PDB file of all heavy atoms in Angstrom:
ATOM      1  N   GLY A  25     -19.713  -2.554  -6.151  1.00 98.00           N
ATOM      2  CA  GLY A  25     -19.573  -3.102  -4.815  1.00 98.00           C
ATOM      3  C   GLY A  25     -18.347  -2.599  -4.075  1.00 98.00           C
ATOM      4  O   GLY A  25     -17.604  -1.741  -4.600  1.00 98.00           O
ATOM      5  N   SER A  26     -18.161  -3.151  -2.887  1.00 98.00           N
ATOM      6  CA  SER A  26     -17.042  -2.744  -2.025  1.00 98.00           C
ATOM      7  C   SER A  26     -16.292  -3.933  -1.509  1.00 98.00           C
ATOM      8  O   SER A  26     -16.844  -5.003  -1.332  1.00 98.00           O
ATOM      9  CB  SER A  26     -17.572  -1.940  -0.825  1.00 98.00           C
ATOM     10  OG  SER A  26     -18.262  -0.778  -1.234  1.00 98.00           O
ATOM     11  N   LEU A  27     -15.005  -3.686  -1.248  1.00 98.00           N
ATOM     12  CA  LEU A  27     -14.131  -4.653  -0.602  1.00 98.00           C
ATOM     13  C   LEU A  27     -13.220  -3.882   0.339  1.00 98.00           C
ATOM     14  O   LEU A  27     -12.861  -2.728   0.063  1.00 98.00           O
ATOM     15  CB  LEU A  27     -13.324  -5.459  -1.578  1.00 98.00           C
ATOM     16  CG  LEU A  27     -13.969  -6.617  -2.314  1.00 98.00           C
ATOM     17  CD1 LEU A  27     -12.995  -7.204  -3.353  1.00 98.00           C
ATOM     18  CD2 LEU A  27     -14.453  -7.693  -1.381  1.00 98.00           C
ATOM     19  N   ARG A  28     -12.762  -4.574   1.353  1.00 98.00           N
ATOM     20  CA  ARG A  28     -11.752  -3.978   2.280  1.00 98.00           C
ATOM     21  C   ARG A  28     -10.595  -4.926   2.336  1.00 98.00           C
ATOM     22  O   ARG A  28     -10.734  -6.081   2.762  1.00 98.00           O
ATOM     23  CB  ARG A  28     -12.340  -3.736   3.651  1.00 98.00           C
ATOM     24  CG  ARG A  28     -11.398  -3.016   4.597  1.00 98.00           C
ATOM     25  CD  ARG A  28     -12.068  -2.709   5.927  1.00 98.00           C
ATOM     26  NE  ARG A  28     -11.224  -1.989   6.853  1.00 98.00           N
ATOM     27  CZ  ARG A  28     -11.131  -0.664   6.889  1.00 98.00           C
ATOM     28  NH1 ARG A  28     -11.847   0.032   6.061  1.00 98.00           N
ATOM     29  NH2 ARG A  28     -10.327  -0.078   7.782  1.00 98.00           N
ATOM     30  N   LEU A  29      -9.442  -4.451   1.907  1.00 98.00           N
ATOM     31  CA  LEU A  29      -8.187  -5.223   2.026  1.00 98.00           C
ATOM     32  C   LEU A  29      -7.456  -4.841   3.263  1.00 98.00           C
ATOM     33  O   LEU A  29      -7.425  -3.649   3.630  1.00 98.00           O
ATOM     34  CB  LEU A  29      -7.315  -4.937   0.805  1.00 98.00           C
ATOM     35  CG  LEU A  29      -7.943  -5.181  -0.592  1.00 98.00           C
ATOM     36  CD1 LEU A  29      -6.858  -4.930  -1.663  1.00 98.00           C
ATOM     37  CD2 LEU A  29      -8.505  -6.552  -0.704  1.00 98.00           C
ATOM     38  N   SER A  30      -6.850  -5.825   3.907  1.00 98.00           N
ATOM     39  CA  SER A  30      -6.033  -5.578   5.084  1.00 98.00           C
ATOM     40  C   SER A  30      -4.641  -6.138   4.879  1.00 98.00           C
ATOM     41  O   SER A  30      -4.476  -7.182   4.211  1.00 98.00           O
ATOM     42  CB  SER A  30      -6.688  -6.215   6.329  1.00 98.00           C
ATOM     43  OG  SER A  30      -7.871  -5.569   6.651  1.00 98.00           O
ATOM     44  N   CYS A  31      -3.674  -5.466   5.469  1.00 97.00           N
ATOM     45  CA  CYS A  31      -2.258  -5.905   5.430  1.00 97.00           C
ATOM     46  C   CYS A  31      -1.759  -5.947   6.843  1.00 97.00           C
ATOM     47  O   CYS A  31      -1.697  -4.879   7.507  1.00 97.00           O
ATOM     48  CB  CYS A  31      -1.463  -4.948   4.585  1.00 97.00           C
ATOM     49  SG  CYS A  31       0.327  -5.258   4.598  1.00 97.00           S
ATOM     50  N   ALA A  32      -1.427  -7.152   7.295  1.00 97.00           N
ATOM     51  CA  ALA A  32      -0.883  -7.299   8.658  1.00 97.00           C
ATOM     52  C   ALA A  32       0.597  -7.441   8.565  1.00 97.00           C
ATOM     53  O   ALA A  32       1.133  -8.292   7.874  1.00 97.00           O
ATOM     54  CB  ALA A  32      -1.504  -8.596   9.261  1.00 97.00           C
ATOM     55  N   ALA A  33       1.271  -6.567   9.306  1.00 95.00           N
ATOM     56  CA  ALA A  33       2.758  -6.548   9.339  1.00 95.00           C
ATOM     57  C   ALA A  33       3.281  -7.273  10.575  1.00 95.00           C
ATOM     58  O   ALA A  33       2.608  -7.313  11.618  1.00 95.00           O
ATOM     59  CB  ALA A  33       3.254  -5.118   9.294  1.00 95.00           C
ATOM     60  N   SER A  34       4.499  -7.779  10.423  1.00 94.00           N
ATOM     61  CA  SER A  34       5.113  -8.523  11.544  1.00 94.00           C
ATOM     62  C   SER A  34       5.762  -7.604  12.589  1.00 94.00           C
ATOM     63  O   SER A  34       6.214  -8.090  13.618  1.00 94.00           O
ATOM     64  CB  SER A  34       6.138  -9.544  11.016  1.00 94.00           C
ATOM     65  OG  SER A  34       7.135  -8.877  10.261  1.00 94.00           O
ATOM     66  N   ARG A  35       5.768  -6.322  12.258  1.00 92.00           N
ATOM     67  CA  ARG A  35       6.272  -5.362  13.242  1.00 92.00           C
ATOM     68  C   ARG A  35       5.482  -4.051  13.088  1.00 92.00           C
ATOM     69  O   ARG A  35       4.698  -3.905  12.116  1.00 92.00           O
ATOM     70  CB  ARG A  35       7.766  -5.099  13.097  1.00 92.00           C
ATOM     71  CG  ARG A  35       8.143  -4.273  11.883  1.00 92.00           C
ATOM     72  CD  ARG A  35       9.653  -4.154  11.732  1.00 92.00           C
ATOM     73  NE  ARG A  35      10.032  -3.071  10.883  1.00 92.00           N
ATOM     74  CZ  ARG A  35      11.198  -2.984  10.219  1.00 92.00           C
ATOM     75  NH1 ARG A  35      12.070  -3.963  10.319  1.00 92.00           N
ATOM     76  NH2 ARG A  35      11.454  -1.945   9.461  1.00 92.00           N
ATOM     77  N   SER A  36       5.650  -3.148  14.000  1.00 91.00           N
ATOM     78  CA  SER A  36       4.904  -1.929  14.003  1.00 91.00           C
ATOM     79  C   SER A  36       5.016  -1.162  12.635  1.00 91.00           C
ATOM     80  O   SER A  36       6.140  -0.986  12.134  1.00 91.00           O
ATOM     81  CB  SER A  36       5.342  -1.002  15.111  1.00 91.00           C
ATOM     82  OG  SER A  36       4.714   0.278  15.004  1.00 91.00           O
ATOM     83  N   ILE A  37       3.884  -0.810  12.098  1.00 90.00           N
ATOM     84  CA  ILE A  37       3.923  -0.081  10.840  1.00 90.00           C
ATOM     85  C   ILE A  37       4.491   1.286  11.011  1.00 90.00           C
ATOM     86  O   ILE A  37       4.949   1.927   9.983  1.00 90.00           O
ATOM     87  CB  ILE A  37       2.490   0.031  10.228  1.00 90.00           C
ATOM     88  CG1 ILE A  37       1.563   0.762  11.148  1.00 90.00           C
ATOM     89  CG2 ILE A  37       1.959  -1.354   9.880  1.00 90.00           C
ATOM     90  CD1 ILE A  37       0.150   0.973  10.556  1.00 90.00           C
ATOM     91  N   PHE A  38       4.595   1.789  12.204  1.00 88.00           N
ATOM     92  CA  PHE A  38       5.159   3.125  12.422  1.00 88.00           C
ATOM     93  C   PHE A  38       6.666   3.087  12.340  1.00 88.00           C
ATOM     94  O   PHE A  38       7.345   4.120  12.364  1.00 88.00           O
ATOM     95  CB  PHE A  38       4.697   3.640  13.803  1.00 88.00           C
ATOM     96  CG  PHE A  38       3.236   3.861  13.876  1.00 88.00           C
ATOM     97  CD1 PHE A  38       2.381   2.976  14.492  1.00 88.00           C
ATOM     98  CD2 PHE A  38       2.645   4.994  13.219  1.00 88.00           C
ATOM     99  CE1 PHE A  38       1.044   3.160  14.533  1.00 88.00           C
ATOM    100  CE2 PHE A  38       1.298   5.175  13.267  1.00 88.00           C
ATOM    101  CZ  PHE A  38       0.468   4.273  13.939  1.00 88.00           C
ATOM    102  N   SER A  39       7.257   1.878  12.208  1.00 90.00           N
ATOM    103  CA  SER A  39       8.685   1.755  12.020  1.00 90.00           C
ATOM    104  C   SER A  39       9.077   1.962  10.556  1.00 90.00           C
ATOM    105  O   SER A  39      10.260   2.097  10.263  1.00 90.00           O
ATOM    106  CB  SER A  39       9.190   0.374  12.467  1.00 90.00           C
ATOM    107  OG  SER A  39       8.675  -0.645  11.628  1.00 90.00           O
ATOM    108  N   PHE A  40       8.095   1.989   9.683  1.00 91.00           N
ATOM    109  CA  PHE A  40       8.361   2.172   8.256  1.00 91.00           C
ATOM    110  C   PHE A  40       8.275   3.618   7.832  1.00 91.00           C
ATOM    111  O   PHE A  40       7.556   4.401   8.423  1.00 91.00           O
ATOM    112  CB  PHE A  40       7.381   1.380   7.423  1.00 91.00           C
ATOM    113  CG  PHE A  40       7.424  -0.112   7.698  1.00 91.00           C
ATOM    114  CD1 PHE A  40       6.325  -0.765   8.272  1.00 91.00           C
ATOM    115  CD2 PHE A  40       8.542  -0.888   7.357  1.00 91.00           C
ATOM    116  CE1 PHE A  40       6.383  -2.101   8.511  1.00 91.00           C
ATOM    117  CE2 PHE A  40       8.571  -2.228   7.626  1.00 91.00           C
ATOM    118  CZ  PHE A  40       7.474  -2.864   8.209  1.00 91.00           C
ATOM    119  N   TYR A  41       8.975   3.961   6.791  1.00 92.00           N
ATOM    120  CA  TYR A  41       8.864   5.301   6.224  1.00 92.00           C
ATOM    121  C   TYR A  41       7.463   5.517   5.635  1.00 92.00           C
ATOM    122  O   TYR A  41       6.850   6.553   5.837  1.00 92.00           O
ATOM    123  CB  TYR A  41       9.934   5.524   5.147  1.00 92.00           C
ATOM    124  CG  TYR A  41       9.798   6.850   4.448  1.00 92.00           C
ATOM    125  CD1 TYR A  41      10.204   8.013   5.061  1.00 92.00           C
ATOM    126  CD2 TYR A  41       9.228   6.940   3.151  1.00 92.00           C
ATOM    127  CE1 TYR A  41      10.061   9.240   4.410  1.00 92.00           C
ATOM    128  CE2 TYR A  41       9.079   8.148   2.533  1.00 92.00           C
ATOM    129  CZ  TYR A  41       9.512   9.304   3.177  1.00 92.00           C
ATOM    130  OH  TYR A  41       9.352  10.496   2.532  1.00 92.00           O
ATOM    131  N   ASP A  42       7.000   4.535   4.887  1.00 94.00           N
ATOM    132  CA  ASP A  42       5.628   4.583   4.373  1.00 94.00           C
ATOM    133  C   ASP A  42       5.178   3.159   4.031  1.00 94.00           C
ATOM    134  O   ASP A  42       5.973   2.214   4.009  1.00 94.00           O
ATOM    135  CB  ASP A  42       5.468   5.501   3.178  1.00 94.00           C
ATOM    136  CG  ASP A  42       6.284   5.095   1.970  1.00 94.00           C
ATOM    137  OD1 ASP A  42       6.908   3.996   1.998  1.00 94.00           O
ATOM    138  OD2 ASP A  42       6.352   5.854   0.977  1.00 94.00           O
ATOM    139  N   MET A  43       3.865   3.040   3.810  1.00 96.00           N
ATOM    140  CA  MET A  43       3.298   1.786   3.378  1.00 96.00           C
ATOM    141  C   MET A  43       2.292   2.085   2.264  1.00 96.00           C
ATOM    142  O   MET A  43       1.724   3.176   2.217  1.00 96.00           O
ATOM    143  CB  MET A  43       2.595   1.078   4.535  1.00 96.00           C
ATOM    144  CG  MET A  43       3.536   0.593   5.603  1.00 96.00           C
ATOM    145  SD  MET A  43       2.769  -0.465   6.814  1.00 96.00           S
ATOM    146  CE  MET A  43       2.485  -1.970   5.810  1.00 96.00           C
ATOM    147  N   GLY A  44       2.162   1.130   1.383  1.00 96.00           N
ATOM    148  CA  GLY A  44       1.278   1.375   0.250  1.00 96.00           C
ATOM    149  C   GLY A  44       0.637   0.111  -0.260  1.00 96.00           C
ATOM    150  O   GLY A  44       1.003  -1.002   0.121  1.00 96.00           O
ATOM    151  N   TRP A  45      -0.337   0.312  -1.156  1.00 98.00           N
ATOM    152  CA  TRP A  45      -0.986  -0.759  -1.888  1.00 98.00           C
ATOM    153  C   TRP A  45      -0.676  -0.556  -3.351  1.00 98.00           C
ATOM    154  O   TRP A  45      -0.859   0.540  -3.904  1.00 98.00           O
ATOM    155  CB  TRP A  45      -2.473  -0.726  -1.638  1.00 98.00           C
ATOM    156  CG  TRP A  45      -2.906  -1.216  -0.294  1.00 98.00           C
ATOM    157  CD1 TRP A  45      -3.137  -0.461   0.803  1.00 98.00           C
ATOM    158  CD2 TRP A  45      -3.110  -2.574   0.093  1.00 98.00           C
ATOM    159  NE1 TRP A  45      -3.468  -1.286   1.879  1.00 98.00           N
ATOM    160  CE2 TRP A  45      -3.485  -2.586   1.434  1.00 98.00           C
ATOM    161  CE3 TRP A  45      -3.052  -3.802  -0.585  1.00 98.00           C
ATOM    162  CZ2 TRP A  45      -3.800  -3.750   2.124  1.00 98.00           C
ATOM    163  CZ3 TRP A  45      -3.394  -4.950   0.111  1.00 98.00           C
ATOM    164  CH2 TRP A  45      -3.718  -4.950   1.462  1.00 98.00           C
ATOM    165  N   TYR A  46      -0.206  -1.609  -3.959  1.00 98.00           N
ATOM    166  CA  TYR A  46       0.036  -1.653  -5.384  1.00 98.00           C
ATOM    167  C   TYR A  46      -0.914  -2.681  -6.030  1.00 98.00           C
ATOM    168  O   TYR A  46      -1.473  -3.534  -5.310  1.00 98.00           O
ATOM    169  CB  TYR A  46       1.464  -2.074  -5.693  1.00 98.00           C
ATOM    170  CG  TYR A  46       2.541  -1.056  -5.399  1.00 98.00           C
ATOM    171  CD1 TYR A  46       2.851  -0.699  -4.091  1.00 98.00           C
ATOM    172  CD2 TYR A  46       3.238  -0.396  -6.408  1.00 98.00           C
ATOM    173  CE1 TYR A  46       3.825   0.258  -3.830  1.00 98.00           C
ATOM    174  CE2 TYR A  46       4.215   0.518  -6.154  1.00 98.00           C
ATOM    175  CZ  TYR A  46       4.497   0.834  -4.862  1.00 98.00           C
ATOM    176  OH  TYR A  46       5.473   1.757  -4.615  1.00 98.00           O
ATOM    177  N   ARG A  47      -1.087  -2.557  -7.332  1.00 98.00           N
ATOM    178  CA  ARG A  47      -1.863  -3.604  -8.014  1.00 98.00           C
ATOM    179  C   ARG A  47      -1.239  -3.940  -9.356  1.00 98.00           C
ATOM    180  O   ARG A  47      -0.563  -3.085  -9.940  1.00 98.00           O
ATOM    181  CB  ARG A  47      -3.325  -3.181  -8.178  1.00 98.00           C
ATOM    182  CG  ARG A  47      -3.529  -2.009  -9.108  1.00 98.00           C
ATOM    183  CD  ARG A  47      -4.999  -1.601  -9.118  1.00 98.00           C
ATOM    184  NE  ARG A  47      -5.253  -0.467  -9.944  1.00 98.00           N
ATOM    185  CZ  ARG A  47      -6.412   0.189 -10.020  1.00 98.00           C
ATOM    186  NH1 ARG A  47      -7.437  -0.173  -9.228  1.00 98.00           N
ATOM    187  NH2 ARG A  47      -6.535   1.231 -10.806  1.00 98.00           N
ATOM    188  N   GLN A  48      -1.466  -5.129  -9.810  1.00 98.00           N
ATOM    189  CA  GLN A  48      -0.968  -5.545 -11.133  1.00 98.00           C
ATOM    190  C   GLN A  48      -2.019  -6.365 -11.830  1.00 98.00           C
ATOM    191  O   GLN A  48      -2.417  -7.416 -11.322  1.00 98.00           O
ATOM    192  CB  GLN A  48       0.316  -6.361 -10.978  1.00 98.00           C
ATOM    193  CG  GLN A  48       0.965  -6.683 -12.319  1.00 98.00           C
ATOM    194  CD  GLN A  48       2.414  -7.141 -12.170  1.00 98.00           C
ATOM    195  OE1 GLN A  48       2.828  -7.600 -11.100  1.00 98.00           O
ATOM    196  NE2 GLN A  48       3.168  -7.033 -13.224  1.00 98.00           N
ATOM    197  N   ALA A  49      -2.460  -5.855 -12.942  1.00 96.00           N
ATOM    198  CA  ALA A  49      -3.444  -6.569 -13.792  1.00 96.00           C
ATOM    199  C   ALA A  49      -2.682  -7.366 -14.826  1.00 96.00           C
ATOM    200  O   ALA A  49      -1.527  -7.037 -15.182  1.00 96.00           O
ATOM    201  CB  ALA A  49      -4.380  -5.549 -14.451  1.00 96.00           C
ATOM    202  N   PRO A  50      -3.313  -8.410 -15.385  1.00 92.00           N
ATOM    203  CA  PRO A  50      -2.615  -9.219 -16.389  1.00 92.00           C
ATOM    204  C   PRO A  50      -2.123  -8.348 -17.577  1.00 92.00           C
ATOM    205  O   PRO A  50      -2.873  -7.549 -18.118  1.00 92.00           O
ATOM    206  CB  PRO A  50      -3.727 -10.204 -16.854  1.00 92.00           C
ATOM    207  CG  PRO A  50      -4.598 -10.314 -15.682  1.00 92.00           C
ATOM    208  CD  PRO A  50      -4.601  -8.965 -15.046  1.00 92.00           C
ATOM    209  N   GLY A  51      -0.855  -8.550 -17.929  1.00 94.00           N
ATOM    210  CA  GLY A  51      -0.305  -7.828 -19.075  1.00 94.00           C
ATOM    211  C   GLY A  51       0.060  -6.384 -18.791  1.00 94.00           C
ATOM    212  O   GLY A  51       0.445  -5.677 -19.691  1.00 94.00           O
ATOM    213  N   ARG A  52      -0.078  -5.957 -17.520  1.00 96.00           N
ATOM    214  CA  ARG A  52       0.201  -4.536 -17.201  1.00 96.00           C
ATOM    215  C   ARG A  52       1.272  -4.470 -16.113  1.00 96.00           C
ATOM    216  O   ARG A  52       1.514  -5.435 -15.369  1.00 96.00           O
ATOM    217  CB  ARG A  52      -1.077  -3.841 -16.732  1.00 96.00           C
ATOM    218  CG  ARG A  52      -2.184  -3.895 -17.767  1.00 96.00           C
ATOM    219  CD  ARG A  52      -3.315  -2.978 -17.393  1.00 96.00           C
ATOM    220  NE  ARG A  52      -2.906  -1.569 -17.489  1.00 96.00           N
ATOM    221  CZ  ARG A  52      -3.714  -0.563 -17.284  1.00 96.00           C
ATOM    222  NH1 ARG A  52      -5.002  -0.819 -16.996  1.00 96.00           N
ATOM    223  NH2 ARG A  52      -3.289   0.672 -17.359  1.00 96.00           N
ATOM    224  N   GLN A  53       1.901  -3.297 -16.029  1.00 97.00           N
ATOM    225  CA  GLN A  53       2.892  -3.101 -14.988  1.00 97.00           C
ATOM    226  C   GLN A  53       2.243  -2.890 -13.623  1.00 97.00           C
ATOM    227  O   GLN A  53       1.103  -2.419 -13.562  1.00 97.00           O
ATOM    228  CB  GLN A  53       3.770  -1.877 -15.370  1.00 97.00           C
ATOM    229  CG  GLN A  53       4.731  -2.130 -16.510  1.00 97.00           C
ATOM    230  CD  GLN A  53       5.697  -1.009 -16.674  1.00 97.00           C
ATOM    231  OE1 GLN A  53       5.429   0.140 -16.346  1.00 97.00           O
ATOM    232  NE2 GLN A  53       6.885  -1.309 -17.187  1.00 97.00           N
ATOM    233  N   ARG A  54       2.963  -3.232 -12.611  1.00 97.00           N
ATOM    234  CA  ARG A  54       2.474  -2.993 -11.260  1.00 97.00           C
ATOM    235  C   ARG A  54       2.447  -1.457 -11.039  1.00 97.00           C
ATOM    236  O   ARG A  54       3.371  -0.767 -11.393  1.00 97.00           O
ATOM    237  CB  ARG A  54       3.408  -3.644 -10.222  1.00 97.00           C
ATOM    238  CG  ARG A  54       2.901  -3.654  -8.823  1.00 97.00           C
ATOM    239  CD  ARG A  54       3.779  -4.459  -7.897  1.00 97.00           C
ATOM    240  NE  ARG A  54       3.813  -5.872  -8.248  1.00 97.00           N
ATOM    241  CZ  ARG A  54       4.368  -6.805  -7.515  1.00 97.00           C
ATOM    242  NH1 ARG A  54       4.935  -6.491  -6.330  1.00 97.00           N
ATOM    243  NH2 ARG A  54       4.387  -8.052  -7.895  1.00 97.00           N
ATOM    244  N   GLU A  55       1.349  -0.999 -10.460  1.00 97.00           N
ATOM    245  CA  GLU A  55       1.211   0.423 -10.221  1.00 97.00           C
ATOM    246  C   GLU A  55       0.849   0.711  -8.750  1.00 97.00           C
ATOM    247  O   GLU A  55       0.169  -0.118  -8.084  1.00 97.00           O
ATOM    248  CB  GLU A  55       0.100   1.024 -11.117  1.00 97.00           C
ATOM    249  CG  GLU A  55      -1.310   0.570 -10.825  1.00 97.00           C
ATOM    250  CD  GLU A  55      -2.377   1.381 -11.575  1.00 97.00           C
ATOM    251  OE1 GLU A  55      -2.057   2.415 -12.173  1.00 97.00           O
ATOM    252  OE2 GLU A  55      -3.559   0.940 -11.513  1.00 97.00           O
ATOM    253  N   LEU A  56       1.287   1.861  -8.280  1.00 98.00           N
ATOM    254  CA  LEU A  56       0.943   2.313  -6.950  1.00 98.00           C
ATOM    255  C   LEU A  56      -0.475   2.762  -6.929  1.00 98.00           C
ATOM    256  O   LEU A  56      -0.888   3.605  -7.742  1.00 98.00           O
ATOM    257  CB  LEU A  56       1.867   3.440  -6.471  1.00 98.00           C
ATOM    258  CG  LEU A  56       1.562   4.042  -5.138  1.00 98.00           C
ATOM    259  CD1 LEU A  56       1.722   3.023  -4.021  1.00 98.00           C
ATOM    260  CD2 LEU A  56       2.466   5.276  -4.869  1.00 98.00           C
ATOM    261  N   VAL A  57      -1.287   2.234  -6.068  1.00 98.00           N
ATOM    262  CA  VAL A  57      -2.690   2.609  -5.891  1.00 98.00           C
ATOM    263  C   VAL A  57      -2.873   3.677  -4.814  1.00 98.00           C
ATOM    264  O   VAL A  57      -3.525   4.689  -5.033  1.00 98.00           O
ATOM    265  CB  VAL A  57      -3.555   1.381  -5.587  1.00 98.00           C
ATOM    266  CG1 VAL A  57      -5.003   1.790  -5.351  1.00 98.00           C
ATOM    267  CG2 VAL A  57      -3.459   0.352  -6.688  1.00 98.00           C
ATOM    268  N   ALA A  58      -2.272   3.430  -3.668  1.00 98.00           N
ATOM    269  CA  ALA A  58      -2.423   4.346  -2.506  1.00 98.00           C
ATOM    270  C   ALA A  58      -1.243   4.190  -1.587  1.00 98.00           C
ATOM    271  O   ALA A  58      -0.649   3.073  -1.483  1.00 98.00           O
ATOM    272  CB  ALA A  58      -3.694   4.089  -1.760  1.00 98.00           C
ATOM    273  N   ASP A  59      -0.880   5.256  -0.945  1.00 97.00           N
ATOM    274  CA  ASP A  59       0.265   5.267  -0.042  1.00 97.00           C
ATOM    275  C   ASP A  59      -0.042   6.105   1.165  1.00 97.00           C
ATOM    276  O   ASP A  59      -0.780   7.057   1.105  1.00 97.00           O
ATOM    277  CB  ASP A  59       1.470   5.835  -0.803  1.00 97.00           C
ATOM    278  CG  ASP A  59       2.718   5.900   0.066  1.00 97.00           C
ATOM    279  OD1 ASP A  59       3.396   4.881   0.137  1.00 97.00           O
ATOM    280  OD2 ASP A  59       2.991   6.970   0.603  1.00 97.00           O
ATOM    281  N   ILE A  60       0.541   5.659   2.315  1.00 96.00           N
ATOM    282  CA  ILE A  60       0.391   6.481   3.537  1.00 96.00           C
ATOM    283  C   ILE A  60       1.779   6.575   4.231  1.00 96.00           C
ATOM    284  O   ILE A  60       2.434   5.551   4.423  1.00 96.00           O
ATOM    285  CB  ILE A  60      -0.695   5.904   4.493  1.00 96.00           C
ATOM    286  CG1 ILE A  60      -0.912   6.785   5.709  1.00 96.00           C
ATOM    287  CG2 ILE A  60      -0.337   4.465   4.889  1.00 96.00           C
ATOM    288  CD1 ILE A  60      -2.178   6.472   6.462  1.00 96.00           C
ATOM    289  N   THR A  61       2.174   7.762   4.538  1.00 93.00           N
ATOM    290  CA  THR A  61       3.481   7.966   5.163  1.00 93.00           C
ATOM    291  C   THR A  61       3.371   7.773   6.689  1.00 93.00           C
ATOM    292  O   THR A  61       2.281   7.708   7.245  1.00 93.00           O
ATOM    293  CB  THR A  61       4.063   9.355   4.854  1.00 93.00           C
ATOM    294  OG1 THR A  61       3.223  10.335   5.575  1.00 93.00           O
ATOM    295  CG2 THR A  61       4.018   9.677   3.379  1.00 93.00           C
ATOM    296  N   GLY A  62       4.533   7.792   7.327  1.00 89.00           N
ATOM    297  CA  GLY A  62       4.495   7.672   8.774  1.00 89.00           C
ATOM    298  C   GLY A  62       3.799   8.822   9.440  1.00 89.00           C
ATOM    299  O   GLY A  62       3.235   8.681  10.530  1.00 89.00           O
ATOM    300  N   GLY A  63       3.797   9.973   8.761  1.00 89.00           N
ATOM    301  CA  GLY A  63       3.091  11.122   9.323  1.00 89.00           C
ATOM    302  C   GLY A  63       1.627  11.157   9.003  1.00 89.00           C
ATOM    303  O   GLY A  63       0.912  12.068   9.432  1.00 89.00           O
ATOM    304  N   GLY A  64       1.167  10.171   8.238  1.00 92.00           N
ATOM    305  CA  GLY A  64      -0.259  10.081   7.920  1.00 92.00           C
ATOM    306  C   GLY A  64      -0.699  10.667   6.604  1.00 92.00           C
ATOM    307  O   GLY A  64      -1.872  10.678   6.273  1.00 92.00           O
ATOM    308  N   ALA A  65       0.259  11.228   5.822  1.00 95.00           N
ATOM    309  CA  ALA A  65      -0.102  11.816   4.555  1.00 95.00           C
ATOM    310  C   ALA A  65      -0.456  10.706   3.573  1.00 95.00           C
ATOM    311  O   ALA A  65       0.261   9.667   3.549  1.00 95.00           O
ATOM    312  CB  ALA A  65       1.050  12.661   4.020  1.00 95.00           C
ATOM    313  N   THR A  66      -1.463  10.924   2.791  1.00 97.00           N
ATOM    314  CA  THR A  66      -1.894   9.893   1.838  1.00 97.00           C
ATOM    315  C   THR A  66      -1.787  10.368   0.399  1.00 97.00           C
ATOM    316  O   THR A  66      -1.895  11.550   0.086  1.00 97.00           O
ATOM    317  CB  THR A  66      -3.351   9.463   2.104  1.00 97.00           C
ATOM    318  OG1 THR A  66      -4.199  10.602   2.030  1.00 97.00           O
ATOM    319  CG2 THR A  66      -3.472   8.828   3.471  1.00 97.00           C
ATOM    320  N   THR A  67      -1.568   9.396  -0.503  1.00 97.00           N
ATOM    321  CA  THR A  67      -1.500   9.669  -1.924  1.00 97.00           C
ATOM    322  C   THR A  67      -2.275   8.590  -2.653  1.00 97.00           C
ATOM    323  O   THR A  67      -2.233   7.426  -2.243  1.00 97.00           O
ATOM    324  CB  THR A  67      -0.035   9.618  -2.393  1.00 97.00           C
ATOM    325  OG1 THR A  67       0.742  10.555  -1.648  1.00 97.00           O
ATOM    326  CG2 THR A  67       0.072  10.014  -3.874  1.00 97.00           C
TER     327      THR A  67
END
């Protein structure tokens, strides 16, 4: 299946160097899932 997560910021996201989504499963370390820079590059 599919889900769409949204993150609403209290100020313009273009004021940040980058934004990302992390996840943490039980018993595991938090890991970076995806990242987007101010220039639009994604990882």
Side-chain angles (χ1 to χ4, degrees):
S26 298
L27 282 175
R28 186 176 182 87
L29 305 182
S30 293
C31 173
S34 58
R35 73 184 198 203
S36 172
I37 61 176
F38 296 101
S39 68
F40 300 114
Y41 175 76
D42 62 7
M43 293 191 70
W45 286 94
Y46 287 71
R47 66 186 179 188
Q48 187 166 21
R52 303 191 66 176
Q53 288 190 330
R54 190 173 296 190
E55 67 169 350
L56 176 64
V57 176
D59 179 83
I60 184 165
T61 69
T66 57
T67 304

